[in-house]
């Protein structure tokens, strides 16, 4: 019984650690989009589109980690 509780707790900790990477990635992407938009405002729409695609891919990594933590 205690082993199951410990394994469940480690899954939650592991998922929390796994979510750090996508969080950092989205932060860096947002920074790049903001800097690019400030330097060349005429490209803001195109930069924002690329940012949304990159953010979606980074979030997919977090969701995959969440699913793996639940399955195991």
């Amino acid at each position: 019984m205690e082993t199951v509780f410990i394994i469940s707790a480690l899954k939650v900790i592991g998922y929390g650690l796994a979510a750090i990477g996508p969080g950092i990635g989205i932060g860096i992407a947002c920074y790049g989009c903001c800097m690019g938009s400030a330097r060349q405002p005429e490209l803001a729409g195109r930069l924002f589109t690329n940012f949304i695609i990159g953010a979606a891919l980074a979030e997919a990594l977090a969701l995959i980690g969440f699913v793996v933590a639940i399955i195991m």
Side-chain angles (χ1 to χ4, degrees):
M1 184 69 174
E2 290 179 17
T3 307
V4 174
F5 179 71
I6 292 172
I7 291 174
S8 298
L10 289 175
K11 286 181 190 179
V12 172
I13 292 170
Y15 173 65
L17 292 174
I20 290 173
I24 291 171
I26 291 174
I28 292 171
C30 184
Y31 171 77
C33 184
C34 290
M35 291 300 294
S37 297
R39 291 180 184 196
Q40 290 188 329
E42 65 273 6
L43 292 177
R46 201 165 162 198
L47 289 172
F48 185 72
T49 302
N50 290 338
F51 165 71
I52 292 297
I53 292 170
L57 292 173
E59 277 299 315
L61 291 174
L63 291 175
I64 289 170
F66 180 67
V67 170
V68 168
I70 288 177
I71 289 175
M72 295 178 125

